[in-house]
Amino acid sequence: GVFPPFVGRYAESISAEGVKRIVVLSPNCQVRIRGLMEKKEISFSVTSLTRTKESVSLKPSISKTDDQLTITVPEIAESDESGFFPSNCTLDLAVPQKSNIKVNSKLGIRIQDIKGNLELAGDGGPIDIRDSEGSLSLKSVESLVRVVGFTGDLAVDAVDSEAYLDGDFNSINAESTDGSIVVTLPSNIGAEVIANAVDVALDGFPLAKKISTGRWSIGDGKRKYVFAG
């Protein structure tokens, strides 16, 4: 029979002392991470909605080696029998604003207000990064990617994805396969744009100079933006 929805929630806090890298492995829960300036611990909660007689345990496993903390949400197969549907599962984390973070998720990733190294891999779910800075390495498959207000270095490997990237990028290395990448930059940016076997259109940069096939210079040309297909 059909059971009424059961809301499951698990919450925990861990000291952030000595932790230099947070790894989140959450194959079938969407992940939301927010940085807080005064935060001295790593707080997280998993919320799920299931339709079963019993609650489905989504208590993450925690492991710490040297200066790395790994949070792994158990992978539960989606089925009518288990009553578990990944679209109803969310892992929320509040972390110190200065954090290095790695995330793997198939259901979506949202990052906000983080300063550090971000390494994100998404497969199918949307990826959203806002008001963060540092270095961002992003791999997406069949995803809608939005980066808003990022400052720092950007590396993107997008397959079957639409990526909209807005920020003040020190460097860009972007590769797109069967998808599209739209980059929005400050109007006073200075960069060399290199396009390897990919079409690039420059809009809103009247002073951009074409150096050669697939190469342009904008302003002082100091930064390097490389696009490949």
Side-chain angles (χ1 to χ4, degrees), residues 10-43:
Y10 178 84
E12 189 175 340
S13 282
I14 298 169
S15 170
E17 189 176 347
V19 176
K20 293 184 179 175
R21 190 170 188 240
I22 302 166
V23 176
V24 179
L25 305 175
S26 181
N28 54 7
C29 274
Q30 62 176 310
V31 177
R32 299 188 300 204
I33 302 177
R34 186 167 186 187
L36 298 171
M37 197 180 294
E38 302 300 323
K39 192 84 173 158
K40 297 222 176 352
E41 67 267 348
I42 296 157
S43 305

Side-chain angles (χ1 to χ4, degrees), residues 95-191:
V95 302
Q97 191 175 59
K98 290 184 177 178
S99 292
N100 300 316
I101 295 172
K102 177 179 179 179
V103 181
N104 271 354
S105 176
K106 296 176 184 173
L107 264 292
I109 301 168
R110 183 182 173 93
I111 306 280
Q112 187 165 357
D113 295 324
I114 295 290
K115 295 181 178 181
N117 298 326
L118 296 172
E119 191 179 337
L120 311 177
D123 186 349
I127 299 173
D128 195 302
I129 299 108
R130 302 200 175 239
D131 303 323
S132 296
E133 64 179 76
S135 69
L136 172 58
S137 174
L138 183 61
K139 289 189 176 182
S140 70
V141 179
E142 294 183 354
S143 298
L144 175 61
V145 178
R146 290 190 183 280
V147 175
V148 180
F150 185 83
T151 303
D153 298 303
L154 175 67
V156 179
D157 183 355
V159 178
D160 285 337
S161 299
E162 284 182 49
Y164 298 90
L165 315 172
D166 182 332
D168 187 356
F169 303 109
N170 293 330
S171 66
I172 298 176
N173 275 288
E175 185 166 349
S176 176
T177 307
D178 297 330
S180 64
I181 294 178
V182 177
V183 182
T184 304
L185 303 166
S187 58
N188 62 346
I189 205 82

